[in-house]
Amino acid sequence: IIAGLGVFGFVIGFAVQGTLSNFASGIMLLIYQPFDEGDLIETNGVLGTVSSLSVVSTTVLTLDNREVIIPNSSVWGSVIVNVTRQATRRVDLVIGVGCPNP
């Protein structure tokens, strides 16, 4: 019976491994707050506005109005670019000036 309980515990632990990883990553996101709801972020190749943040997933509304739900373990494990964190941004413009031949 004890061996059966051990195997059962191992199977249950293995089954909820992803959920616990998402939960732990969600707690880290809530503690460190690299972004808030309403911020424009880019993570995992997705650029959009954060519409909601829970302990297991982050919901991003893309610029073409698609809702993308990303597991928090993927968000925490990748680069997070927060576009709206700073009040000012630098924009580089390249302007070419032509000169006619004399």
Side-chain angles (χ1 to χ4, degrees):
I1 292 175
I2 293 175
L5 288 175
V7 169
F8 180 72
F10 179 75
V11 169
I12 294 298
F14 193 69
V16 297
Q17 176 183 0
T19 303
L20 290 176
S21 174
N22 286 331
F23 181 77
S25 298
I27 296 298
M28 296 300 285
L29 287 171
L30 290 173
I31 290 172
Y32 289 107
Q33 295 181 344
F35 54 84
D36 293 321
E37 289 184 8
D39 283 354
L40 180 66
I41 67 165
E42 181 177 5
T43 184
N44 292 326
V46 177
L47 175 67
T49 304
V50 177
S51 60
S52 68
L53 174 64
S54 69
V55 290
V56 291
S57 65
T58 300
T59 304
V60 176
L61 189 63
T62 63
L63 300 178
D64 57 352
N65 210 24
R66 292 183 295 161
E67 185 177 74
V68 180
I69 300 171
I70 308 169
N72 281 340
S73 60
S74 297
V75 174
W76 185 252
S78 67
V79 174
I80 301 170
V81 179
N82 191 337
V83 178
T84 55
R85 178 64 68 152
Q86 301 299 321
T88 57
R89 283 182 276 301
R90 175 181 163 172
V91 177
D92 293 332
L93 296 176
V94 178
I95 300 173
V97 177
C99 180
N101 291 335

